[in-house]
DNA sequence: TATTGTTATACTCTATAACTATA
DNA sequence: TATAGTTATAGAGTATAACAATA
């Protein structure tokens, strides 16, 4: 798409197109070789950094609905990557933690993720890559 | 999401989060009020600029599979926004054009799309908005 | 044989509402 | 009654394979 019509100044259109490239890179480096979906990977790395959080908090951090997160947790628990343990202070709630296997996979994926980003830098310089993340983060953050 | 883990340097994660904001803006300004899906809007504006293209070409420009585009064309034709006319030079192929109603809607949506982008500029300055589109476009373009 | 477009099928994603168990 | 989490259901997006018509 080149030209100068309405779509060319529509951010959502460009985000959708860029997401195809990012998704292809994810599938190639992480999704296919490690049998993870994007949301699985995000959850794994998030829980690796922030342990013992409740599903409700994780859902908000990942922009997921509660039912969707339940399904993701089911899948990852069945695979032995995460555990759900009761919250001792509020028995309605649970705490999500990584299993030893989950910790191992999260660590193994760190260099893989770095290689994936390196691959994207064939299209984008390191400076562009950092700036793009900064701008996307600004867009996604609450206005103020 | 703030911190400095693997996700924070993973472009795909930030694209996914930004797409939520862009999609909300689309739904509010265009999707709900005009009964269009994102892909409908993209197709409408694309055909408004580039008439008489074949589905195969449109599918590539929109990063859609051929079957998906067929379904979109069906829906928009049923709504009276586009026509499929036989290609006189190759009778396997068709040419996609806007109906008078399609032209009218495409024109009506131009200021609406501008307002939508203005709304996003509450989160992002005009310069950031332009730079973000430039970087996303660079990411989405073939490497070279 | 190859290509254009369509139809058929299946799988994933996403959202809403209903349910349970605690509070 | 309100909340956390789950289950149930349905709608929309996406991909592959099979098919019809034409080249």
């Amino acid at each position: 798409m080149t030209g100068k019509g309405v779509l060319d100044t529509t951010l959502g259109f460009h985000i959708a197109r860029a997401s195809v490239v990012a998704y292809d890179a994810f599938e190639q480096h992480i999704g296919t070789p490690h049998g993870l979906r994007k949301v699985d990977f995000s959850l794994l790395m998030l829980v690796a950094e922030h342990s013992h959080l409740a599903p409700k908090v994780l859902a908000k951090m990942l922009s997921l609905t509660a039912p969707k997160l339940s399904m993701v947790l089911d899948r990852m628990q069945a695979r032995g990557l995460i555990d759900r343990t009761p919250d001792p202070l509020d028995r309605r709630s649970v705490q999500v933690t990584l299993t030893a296997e989950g910790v191992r996979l999260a660590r193994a994926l760190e260099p893989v993720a770095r290689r994936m980003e390196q691959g994207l830098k064939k299209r984008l310089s390191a400076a562009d890559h950092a700036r793009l993340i900064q701008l996307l983060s600004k867009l996604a953050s609450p206005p103020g």
Side-chain angles (χ1 to χ4, degrees), chain A residues 1 3-14:
Chain A
M1 248 308 294
K4 54 201 193 72
V6 171
L7 288 183
D8 296 292
T9 55
T10 301
L11 203 39
F13 179 70
H14 291 277

Side-chain angles (χ1 to χ4, degrees), chain A residues 5-64:
Chain A
V6 171
L7 288 183
D8 296 292
T9 55
T10 301
L11 203 39
F13 179 70
H14 291 277
I15 290 176
R17 287 178 63 77
S19 70
V20 174
V21 172
Y23 181 62
D24 286 350
F26 174 83
E27 271 309 303
Q28 182 193 332
H29 287 85
I30 299 176
T32 300
H34 293 91
L36 290 175
R37 305 182 192 174
K38 281 180 298 182
V39 68
D40 299 345
F41 171 73
S42 295
L43 180 71
L44 185 73
M45 303 321 267
L46 190 55
V47 177
E49 289 173 54
H50 306 282
S51 197
H52 298 273
L53 291 183
K56 178 167 190 175
V57 178
L58 293 171
K60 180 156 191 184
M61 291 172 99
L62 293 171
S63 302
L64 298 176

Side-chain angles (χ1 to χ4, degrees), chain A residues 12 16 29 38 40 55 57 68 70 77 80-81 88 95 99 103 113 119 126 135:
Chain A
H29 287 85
K38 281 180 298 182
D40 299 345
V57 178
K68 174 64 179 174
S70 275
Q77 191 168 23
L81 296 173
Q95 298 179 333
T99 62
V103 170
L135 290 171

Side-chain angles (χ1 to χ4, degrees), chain A residues 78-97:
Chain A
R79 191 169 154 184
L81 296 173
I82 62 124
D83 273 329
R84 285 190 261 212
T85 57
D87 183 331
L89 299 176
D90 182 343
R91 288 191 304 170
R92 291 173 304 184
S93 190
V94 300
Q95 298 179 333
V96 180
T97 55

